[in-house]
Structures are given as structure tokens and as C-alpha cells.
């Protein structure tokens, strides 16, 4: 601890802060500003925005609570944090929805002005009960009651803004208090407000009001006798370079633009808006100065069919969607398979089935991406593991699509699509070029005839741009004759073409990286993951390793085909645990292909894994507590080691 002149400043290695309020309270903006400030002063950061499912849920209800969690640290971090160290709750519903996640002894700052009878009733609290007066809450947490609404109005009593607009500034007051508590400077946020509201929006009075309120919140923390302790998080040791905060959707958009530049092909993004993939369209639409074209189609089917048309025309055709949208695209995706055209489909997974949980995260589209088409229709399936990794995997998706003349499905999810982390800007010259070759006169056979299904050593067929002299050929959904490309209904030819399309995917395994193992190459337990579970798995496994346990981790970014050494890696460990945000889709694939007795940790709650959940399941596996059960499910953030208490949350017996 460091003794300050008046108040004590306590050094901590990391902290997790969550802003929560009504969906109109500006919690996402406050959280993003806190994130940017923490990144600028040198902390490593990871975020988790959490949106209500309804566009505008009834104000003051738990269903309408919007949250933004940021974990910032003096060390490398991989997750937005498990337990919350400080909660800023703008109304009773926000307190009710989020107080269970605050650690015992954690800080809870509430806007006490909103804790009236009407709002307490909307939040579902019993009559004549106010949680701020609850003895248990006051004993379990450091509860600070701040009249945010009134103090915001006081700070802007001379403002020309309307009462409604003044009310919108209270998120900046709460942010100012949080900045004081965690020893954050105001400069970065003040510059943002001046640039965004003052210059971009041409609303200087709004910028001035928000800055005034931000400072008032900070000075309240400074002058009030309410906060006896402040917290300070030192800079993290980071590699020198230029960094920026990036979300998964931003990174995917930038990766597609980079792939367009590296391949020399124009990017045309054809899509239909759907949560949580819509931001990719928004970001790309703003990049038209890079030659990007975006097309908002009338539905999901039109989106993918247009992208196929782009690919047929010889350019970079990309479409994006989320769960139910991928289902709608399935027939056209089969068309891309049989025509053997390069196509990239980005699927930002969300809670299902059907509309499901549209703003919550899940990993339940793996089997749909693998098999969700009629007939044997193999595609390459990739998965990004973090927000910044979406950049590199988008480039990889384009490279493989062009390299082998195939459709590629790139899986992201709501957690990494909306989450953010610091990203070191890469040197553009270090990004390899993506070679592209179009068929020309040299592809004519000895008789001067173009054969559209004559293949190279990768089994890729030639890509003939329409209008190229002497390269006329047929494409479409009907099966084609091998090599010649004419419509063919012969059964043996169909089997041959089906086998070729499958083998083309299989051969890619020789050209992708081998699976890397984090830890020893052999041991008692391998924790295998894919997609957005990377951060929680990595953190949990490293905790286990620090205790001397023989546990390693491996993370799949290539799901079809699998890396060539995956079978060898799996068989080098006594046990295999696969945590997934679904009911065990990768586990089913691994058990079926490699005949390995993999067990699962399966969470389908619309939220990412807590590190604690994986740590405790590792202990279960090492203690042989699974018995003949195939998986466990976390419940109330806790998987007990007591056999009796875990029984209700275990899966059905194997076999």
C-alpha cells in the first residue's frame, strides 16, 4: 500500500470493473471510454459488453439492463475477469442483475436517486424493501450511495441543454467517479468528447456538458469523505509498437480489407443485417475509400447468392451472418460447394435455436458449419480465438478460399465480436501476398478446349473470369462431368466428384500449421478448446500448471480439416477435457474421428466461461470424479467436487 497525502492508494495487479444500467444510460460508452483510457496508460485490457436482447426493453426492468465489463491489469490477461471488483449500478434493476457477480468485499457504487418505489417495483423487488438498506449487502460489499442524477443536474444547472439531454450526461458522472477510484486520468476521455461531440457531431454544447459532468464526478470522489481508499494498477510490460483497441467485428472487417489488398481483388461484402454480425457491414461501409463495396441485400439468401456472383465474376465475394442466417444460407452454400468457387462466409455465433438469445454468446453452430447442407458438401471451417485474431483468420479464410477454390466458413461469436483488447498494429509488409491466378489461353487443351474441372495438385479447378475469350463453360447446381464440366448424371462420376471435393479439403491439412500445445507435450490432462473459449482455457490451465499439475492446453483454429497432428496430440495425454459453449459439438467430432474418451464442460447460458468454472472442472477430471459421465455443466458459477452435489449437473452416462 502507498500512503497518499489524504487518502490511501492501494496497488493491485488487476481489477475488474462493470458498468450497468438501463439500455439508455450509456453504459457501453462509459465502458469503452474506461477501456481506452486504461489501454492508453499502458494496462492490458479485456472487455465484455453485455446487451439486452430486446431493442428497447421496458425501462427500469432487469430485462433492459445493459452492462460493460472491463478487466485491466499490470500483466498479460486473456479474459474480462470472473468476479467483479467494482460495480457501478445506475438503477435497482442493474444492482439486482449484477450484484451476484461482485466479489465479497467488492466496491458497489449506486445511483441512489433511482432507488425509489417505482424503480424498485419495476426491478421486481418486494414491496417496502430497498436493497440499499439490506444489512447483508452492506456487510458483504463496500456500498457507496452517490446521488448521481441530482449531482449531474447540479453540475449543469446553467446549461442550455434540455432536461432530457442533461439526464443523458449522468453516465459521464459515474465514469468520473470510477476514474477517481482507480486512479485514471481524464485526458483521453475529454479529447474523445471534444472530437466526437464537438467536431464530428458539431454539438459543442453537448461536449462541454459531458466534460463538465465527467470532471464533477472525479472531483466528487476527490472531495467526498466517502471513499477512504483508491486503487492503482501499474502499466503492463508490453512489446514496443503502436497499439489500438479493437473488437472482433472491427478486426474481421480490417482483415477482409487487408486480404483484398494482398490479393489484388476487390472486396464486395454482400449481407443482410443480423445481430451480432451487423457491425462488420457498418465498418466495411465506412471503408469505401479502400475500394470496398458493400451490398445490403433484402434477405440472407440474396446476400450469399450475390456474394457467389461476385466470386463467379472473379472478385472477392464475402457474406456475413449469425446462427439462423447461416441456416438460411445453407442451400446457396451448397451451390458454392458444387460450383467450386471461392467464397468466405463469416458466422458470428449467438444463442439459439431459432431467434434464441440474439445478443448473447454461444458456440452452437459448429455442426451446422460442418454439415448443415444437403448432400456431402464439405467446406473449410475456421474459428477465431480472440478479437484481434479475427483479423488474421479473416485473411486466412480468403487465402484458403482462393488457394483451393472452395467456400470457407469463419466462425466468430458474440463474445469476441463485441469484446475488445489491445492490438499491436502489424507491419503491412509482413502480411504475405495472397496469390491469385485466373485461367487464360494457356489453360486450353491440345484441341483448344477449356476444361473447367481440370485440376492442379491441390485439386483446385481453374478460375475463369466471365468474358475471357475461349473459356466459355457451364456452372450451376447440377453435377458436372469430371474435367470436362458438362452436366452429368452418371452415378460413378458423381461418386468421383464427391470424393474429389472431400479430398480437396483433406489435403489442406498439409498446408496449415500443426496444433501447438501450451505446456508439456504429454501429461495427465489436455484441455482442448476452439473459438472464444481461448482466454478462459489458457488462464485456467496456467493456474493449474503453476500448482505443479501436469495439465496442458491446445486450441483449434482449424476445424475442417483438423491439423494433421491432432490425433497424435490427443493420444499423448491420459485424459482430454473439451470446454464448449454448447452441448458438446466438438467433443462429438473428436470422439467420433479419433476414438478418444474426451469429456466435456458444457455451458449454454449466454455467457462466456468463467476461469473458475474451468479450474474446478480440471480438478474434477484429475480426481476421476466424472465416472462414466460424458460431461458436466457449471451451475451458479460453481462446480462442486462433492460427488453428491455435482450429480444434478452431470451428463447422461456414456453408452
Amino acid at each position: 500500500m502507498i500512503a497518499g497525502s489524504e487518502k490511501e492508494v492501494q496497488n493491485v495487479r488487476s481489477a475488474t470493473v462493470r458498468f450497468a444500467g438501463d439500455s439508455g444510460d450509456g453504459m457501453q460508452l462509459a465502458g469503452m471510454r474506461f477501456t481506452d483510457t486504461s489501454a492508453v496508460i499502458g494496462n492490458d485490457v479485456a472487455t465484455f459488453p453485455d446487451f439486452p436482447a430486446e431493442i428497447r426493453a421496458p425501462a427500469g426492468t432487469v430485462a433492459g439492463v445493459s452492462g460493460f465489463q472491463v478487466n485491466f491489469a499490470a500483466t498479460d490477461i486473456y479474459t474480462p475477469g470472473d468476479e467483479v471488483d467494482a460495480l457501478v449500478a445506475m438503477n435497482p434493476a442493474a444492482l439486482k442483475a449484477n450484484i451476484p457477480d461482485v466479489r465479497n468485499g467488492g466496491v458497489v457504487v449506486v445511483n441512489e436517486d433511482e432507488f425509489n418505489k417505482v424503480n424498485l417495483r419495476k426491478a421486481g423487488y418486494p414491496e417496502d424493501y430497498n436493497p440499499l438498506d439490506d444489512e447483508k449487502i452492506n456487510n458483504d460489499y463496500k456500498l457507496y450511495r452517490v446521488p448521481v442524477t441530482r449531482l449531474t443536474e447540479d453540475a449543469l444547472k446553467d446549461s442550455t441543454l434540455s432536461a432530457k439531454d442533461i439526464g443523458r450526461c449522468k453516465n459521464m458522472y459515474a465514469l468520473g467517479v470510477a476514474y477517481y477510484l482507480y486512479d485514471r486520468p481524464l485526458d483521453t476521455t475529454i479529447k474523445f468528447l471534444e472530437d466526437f461531440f464537438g467536431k464530428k457531431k458539431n454539438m459543442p454544447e453537448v461536449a462541454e456538458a459531458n466534460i463538465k459532468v465527467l470532471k464533477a464526478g472525479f472531483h466528487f470522489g476527490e472531495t467526498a469523505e466517502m471513499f477512504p481508499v483508491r486503487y492503482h494498477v501499474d502499466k503492463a510490460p508490453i512489446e514496443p509498437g503502436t497499439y489500438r483497441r479493437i473488437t472482433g467485428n472491427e478486426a474481421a472487417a480490417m482483415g477482409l480489407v487487408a486480404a483484398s489488398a494482398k490479393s489484388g481483388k476487390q472486396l464486395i461484402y454482400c449481407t443482410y443485417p443480423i445481430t451480432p454480425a451487423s457491425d462488420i457491414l457498418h465498418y466495411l461501409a465506412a471503408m469505401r475509400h479502400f475500394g470496398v463495396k458493400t451490398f445490403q441485400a433484402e434477405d440472407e439468401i440474396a446476400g450469399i447468392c450475390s456474394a457467389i456472383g461476385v466470386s463467379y465474376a472473379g472478385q472477392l465475394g464475402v457474406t456475413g451472418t449469425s446462427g439462423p442466417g447461416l441456416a438460411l444460407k445453407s442451400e446457396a452454400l451448397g451451390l458454392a460447394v458444387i460450383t467450386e468457387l471461392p467464397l468466405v462466409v463469416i458466422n458470428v455465433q449467438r444463442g439459439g435455436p431459432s431467434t434464441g438469445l440474439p445478443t448473447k454468446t454461444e458456440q452452437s453452430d459448429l455442426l451446422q458449419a460442418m454439415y448443415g447442407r444437403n448432400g456431402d458438401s464439405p467446406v473449410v471451417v475456421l474459428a477465431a480465438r480472440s478479437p484481434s485474431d479475427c483479423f488474421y483468420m479473416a485473411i486466412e479464410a480468403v487465402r484458403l478460399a482462393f488457394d483451393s477454390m472452395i467456400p470457407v466458413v469463419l466462425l466468430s461469436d458474440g463474445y469476441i465480436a463485441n469484446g475488445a483488447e489491445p492490438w499491436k498494429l502489424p507491419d503491412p509488409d509482413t502480411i504475405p501476398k495472397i496469390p491469385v491466378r485466373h485461367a487464360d489461353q494457356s489453360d486450353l487443351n491440345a484441341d483448344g478446349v477449356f476444361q473447367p474441372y481440370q485440376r492442379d495438385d491441390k485439386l483446385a479447378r481453374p478460375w475463369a473470369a466471365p468474358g475471357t475469350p475461349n473459356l466459355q463453360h457451364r456452372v450451376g447446381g447440377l453435377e458436372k462431368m469430371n474435367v470436362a464440366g458438362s452436366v452429368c448424371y452418371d452415378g460413378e462420376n458423381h461418386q468421383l466428384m464427391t470424393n474429389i471435393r472431400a479430398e480437396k479439403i483433406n489435403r489442406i491439412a498439409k498446408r496449415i500449421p500443426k496444433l501447438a500445445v501450451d505446456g508439456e507435450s504429454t501429461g495427465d490432462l489436455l484441455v482442448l478448446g476452439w473459438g472464444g473459449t481461448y482466454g478462459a482455457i489458457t488462464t485456467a490451465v496456467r493456474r493449474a500448471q503453476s500448482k505443479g499439475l501436469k495439465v496442458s492446453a491446445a486450441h483449434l483454429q482449424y476445424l475442417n480439416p483438423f491439423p494433421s497432428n491432432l490425433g497424435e496430440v490427443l493420444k499423448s495425454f491420459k485424459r482430454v477435457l473439451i470446454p464448449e459453449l454448447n452441448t458438446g459439438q466438438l467433443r462429438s467430432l473428436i470422439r467420433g474421428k479419433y476414438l478418444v474418451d474426451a469429456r466435456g464442460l458444457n455451458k449454454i447460458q449466454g455467457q462466456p466461461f468463467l476461469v473458475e468454472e474451468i479450474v474446478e472442472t480440471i480438478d474434477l477430471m484429475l480426481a476421476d470424479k466424472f465416472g462414466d459421465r460424458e460431461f458436466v455443466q457449471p451451475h451458479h458459477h460453481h462446480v462442486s467436487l462433492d460427488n453428491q452435489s455435482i450429480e444434478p449437473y452431470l451428463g447422461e452416462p456414456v453408452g
Side-chain angles (χ1 to χ4, degrees):
M1 296 183 180
I2 302 173
S5 57
E6 295 182 3
K7 295 187 180 181
E8 186 179 38
V9 178
Q10 182 178 341
N11 263 335
V12 292
R13 298 292 290 166
S14 66
T16 300
V17 176
R18 182 182 298 176
F19 297 88
D22 198 65
S23 57
D25 282 341
M27 296 295 93
Q28 304 300 320
L29 179 62
M32 286 189 288
R33 302 280 59 81
F34 196 100
T35 301
D36 282 356
T37 294
S38 299
V40 165
I41 66 176
N43 298 136
D44 196 8
V45 297
T47 72
F48 178 49
D50 194 16
F51 306 97
E54 298 181 34
I55 294 174
R56 193 69 174 95
T61 64
V62 172
V65 172
S66 176
F68 192 105
Q69 181 168 313
V70 53
N71 184 13
F72 54 106
T75 57
D76 289 342
I77 53 175
Y78 301 95
T79 76
D82 279 11
E83 292 185 312
V84 174
D85 295 301
L87 169 66
V88 178
M90 300 297 283
N91 61 16
L95 181 69
K96 185 176 185 180
N98 293 280
I99 193 71
D101 296 331
V102 181
R103 66 173 176 82
N104 195 276
V107 171
V108 177
V109 178
V110 298
N111 178 11
E112 70 170 344
D113 290 333
E114 299 299 316
F115 282 74
N116 53 49
K117 287 187 177 181
V118 173
N119 287 339
L120 289 167
R121 189 180 305 117
K122 286 181 180 178
Y125 283 112
E127 290 292 331
D128 301 321
Y129 172 81
N130 188 330
L132 303 187
D133 300 325
D134 189 308
E135 184 178 347
K136 185 176 189 311
I137 289 178
N138 281 272
N139 288 336
D140 288 350
Y141 309 104
K142 297 171 184 173
L143 181 65
Y144 300 114
R145 303 164 66 149
V146 181
V148 173
T149 302
R150 177 174 61 81
L151 293 174
T152 299
E153 293 169 353
D154 288 349
L156 299 178
K157 61 185 177 183
D158 298 325
S159 172
T160 58
L161 294 180
S162 67
K164 184 177 181 181
D165 287 339
I166 288 174
R168 288 173 174 164
C169 296
K170 63 180 182 284
N171 63 330
M172 288 296 107
Y173 196 98
L175 180 61
V177 173
Y179 278 160
Y180 172 77
L181 276 173
Y182 281 96
D183 197 20
R184 315 273 96 180
L186 305 182
D187 306 26
T188 302
T189 301
I190 290 173
K191 185 177 187 309
F192 167 82
L193 294 170
E194 290 173 340
D195 291 344
F196 183 76
F197 289 114
K199 297 176 183 178
K200 185 176 180 181
K201 296 290 186 180
N202 195 26
M203 296 189 298
E205 69 282 2
V206 174
E208 181 184 351
N210 277 280
I211 292 169
K212 191 172 185 179
V213 169
L214 176 73
K215 291 179 177 178
F218 186 91
H219 294 318
F220 173 84
E222 200 170 37
T223 57
E225 298 298 324
M226 187 176 291
F227 306 108
V229 178
R230 300 174 72 191
Y231 305 94
H232 178 80
V233 179
D234 286 330
K235 292 181 179 181
I238 58 172
E239 184 181 347
T242 302
Y243 288 78
R244 59 158 290 177
R245 175 183 61 85
I246 197 165
T247 68
N249 279 341
E250 285 179 300
M254 294 172 68
L256 292 174
V257 174
S260 171
K262 290 297 181 177
S263 64
K265 289 297 170 185
Q266 184 173 34
L267 168 61
I268 304 179
Y269 187 73
C270 309
T271 192
Y272 180 75
I274 185 170
T275 301
S278 299
D279 279 344
I280 299 176
L281 171 62
H282 303 158
Y283 295 131
L284 287 174
M287 296 184 189
R288 51 187 177 274
H289 54 290
F290 291 116
V292 176
K293 292 189 183 300
T294 53
F295 169 55
Q296 182 174 318
E298 64 268 29
D299 56 40
E300 295 281 6
I301 300 170
I304 188 171
C305 288
S306 300
I308 292 172
V310 170
S311 297
Y312 174 69
Q315 301 301 327
L316 173 53
V318 183
T319 189
T321 191
S322 187
L326 185 62
L328 289 168
K329 294 181 187 294
S330 61
E331 181 181 359
L333 189 51
L335 175 64
V337 170
I338 200 168
T339 56
E340 299 187 47
L341 286 167
L343 175 72
V344 174
V345 180
I346 298 178
N347 179 44
V348 185
Q349 300 165 97
R350 70 189 207 186
S354 187
T355 311
L357 304 175
T359 62
K360 307 301 181 182
T361 197
E362 205 164 282
Q363 289 184 295
S364 292
D365 294 346
L366 175 56
L367 294 183
Q368 181 179 203
M370 292 280 287
Y371 304 121
R373 295 160 295 281
N374 67 299
D376 287 295
S377 304
V379 300
V380 169
V381 180
L382 309 178
R385 69 185 190 181
S386 68
S388 60
D389 191 48
C390 291
F391 175 83
Y392 301 102
M393 295 311 290
I395 295 174
E396 181 70 347
V398 174
R399 183 185 72 82
L400 292 176
F402 285 164
D403 188 48
S404 297
M405 290 290 286
I406 46 169
V408 177
V409 176
L410 172 58
L411 296 175
S412 174
D413 58 57
Y415 166 53
I416 58 177
N418 294 318
E421 65 182 354
W423 177 50
K424 183 183 177 184
L425 300 184
D427 180 351
D429 293 336
T430 64
I431 301 174
K433 289 187 177 297
I434 300 175
V436 177
R437 180 185 179 274
H438 284 294
D440 55 28
Q441 305 303 310
S442 66
D443 291 281
L444 301 179
N445 67 10
D447 298 323
V449 176
F450 176 59
Q451 296 178 311
Y453 287 89
Q454 181 70 51
R455 303 174 185 279
D456 62 16
D457 60 344
K458 300 172 184 174
L459 298 181
R461 75 175 187 86
W463 192 5
T468 306
N470 302 318
L471 299 189
Q472 299 91 335
H473 63 286
R474 297 185 66 172
V475 295
L478 293 173
E479 184 64 279
K480 304 300 186 294
M481 172 71 74
N482 183 38
V483 181
S486 55
V487 173
C488 180
Y489 298 104
D490 179 76
E492 291 191 5
N493 176 78
H494 176 54
Q495 181 161 344
L496 174 63
M497 293 293 277
T498 299
N499 292 343
I500 288 174
R501 288 189 288 263
E503 178 60 20
K504 179 161 62 169
I505 301 292
N506 293 337
R507 289 190 183 186
I508 291 172
K510 300 176 182 177
R511 307 196 298 277
I512 61 175
K514 290 189 174 183
L515 182 64
V517 176
D518 184 354
E520 297 296 326
S521 57
T522 62
D524 293 330
L525 177 65
L526 175 72
V527 184
L528 180 69
W530 68 279
T533 59
Y534 171 77
I537 289 174
T538 299
T539 305
V541 167
R542 291 185 181 176
R543 283 188 192 175
Q545 291 169 346
S546 69
K547 295 187 291 186
L549 301 177
K550 296 180 179 179
V551 181
S552 299
H555 210 78
L556 291 167
Q557 294 166 283
Y558 299 84
L559 294 156
N560 195 38
F562 286 129
S564 60
N565 66 327
L566 175 55
E568 177 186 342
V569 170
L570 292 169
K571 289 171 180 170
S572 298
F573 291 85
K574 296 176 182 177
R575 306 171 187 83
V576 177
L577 172 66
I578 304 180
E580 296 180 80
L581 300 179
N582 58 45
T583 56
Q585 297 185 13
L586 176 63
R587 186 178 77 248
S588 296
L589 295 174
I590 293 296
R591 291 171 73 95
K593 183 175 178 65
Y594 297 102
L595 303 180
V596 170
D597 185 21
R599 306 299 179 96
L601 171 62
N602 300 113
K603 183 175 182 179
I604 318 101
Q605 300 172 15
Q607 300 289 321
F609 279 116
L610 301 177
V611 174
E612 170 196 11
E613 292 167 343
I614 300 177
V615 167
E616 292 182 345
T617 309
I618 287 172
D619 291 339
L620 279 174
M621 286 287 289
L622 294 178
D624 288 325
K625 296 282 188 174
F626 270 57
D628 59 356
R629 308 288 182 164
E630 194 175 324
F631 65 92
V632 294
Q633 297 177 344
H635 188 72
H636 297 308
H637 311 299
H638 184 69
V639 180
S640 172
L641 284 170
D642 176 3
N643 272 326
Q644 186 173 0
S645 58
I646 67 171
E647 193 71 18
Y649 317 122
L650 289 170
E652 290 302 313
V654 179

